[in-house]
């Protein structure tokens, strides 16, 4: 869950893991911890047709979630950060 200074969502104030409730480190409007940000729009033929789900997971909760996958996540190393 992300909180911003105002409704224009310009300056990030806080990020809280939707699963465990941990508050992640935000300094000067910049998230300074690993976090999975999910923005999932559901379309036609879905049980959630027309809905958009947004949530954040801290790295620990992300690791626990993917540990239960039958098919492992694809992992690709990034050579340069932009």
């Amino acid at each position: 869950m992300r909180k911003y200074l105002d409704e224009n969502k310009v300056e990030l104030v806080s990020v809280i893991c939707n699963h465990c409730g941990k508050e992640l480190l935000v300094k000067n409007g910049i998230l300074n911890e690993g976090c999975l940000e999910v923005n999932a729009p559901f379309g036609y033929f879905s049980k959630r047709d027309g809905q958009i789900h947004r949530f954040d997971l801290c790295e620990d909760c992300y690791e626990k979630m993917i540990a239960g996958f039958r098919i492992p996540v694809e992992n690709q190393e990034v050579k340069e950060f932009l």
Side-chain angles (χ1 to χ4, degrees):
M1 177 177 79
R2 291 175 184 245
K3 294 183 183 177
Y4 293 88
L5 191 57
D6 58 25
E7 67 274 352
N8 295 327
K9 297 186 176 185
V10 175
E11 186 175 341
L12 186 63
V13 175
S14 72
V15 178
I16 299 171
C17 176
N18 284 76
H19 184 72
C20 72
K22 174 186 174 185
E23 186 163 358
L24 304 177
L25 182 61
V26 174
K27 287 186 180 177
N28 300 319
I30 298 170
L31 180 60
N32 285 277
E33 276 191 67
C35 175
L36 171 68
E37 179 182 9
V38 175
N39 182 16
F42 291 89
Y44 296 118
F45 313 111
S46 164
K47 293 178 184 176
R48 301 185 184 279
D49 189 11
Q51 297 179 17
I52 299 174
H53 287 201
R54 293 184 179 97
F55 62 90
D56 294 286
L57 293 178
C58 68
E59 282 188 281
D60 289 340
C61 289
Y62 172 75
E63 293 295 333
K64 290 174 189 171
M65 179 182 73
I66 67 170
F69 286 6
R70 288 181 185 235
I71 301 169
V73 298
E74 291 183 26
N75 185 354
Q76 179 180 354
E77 293 291 326
V78 177
K79 306 247 187 269
E80 292 184 28
F81 291 98
L82 298 176

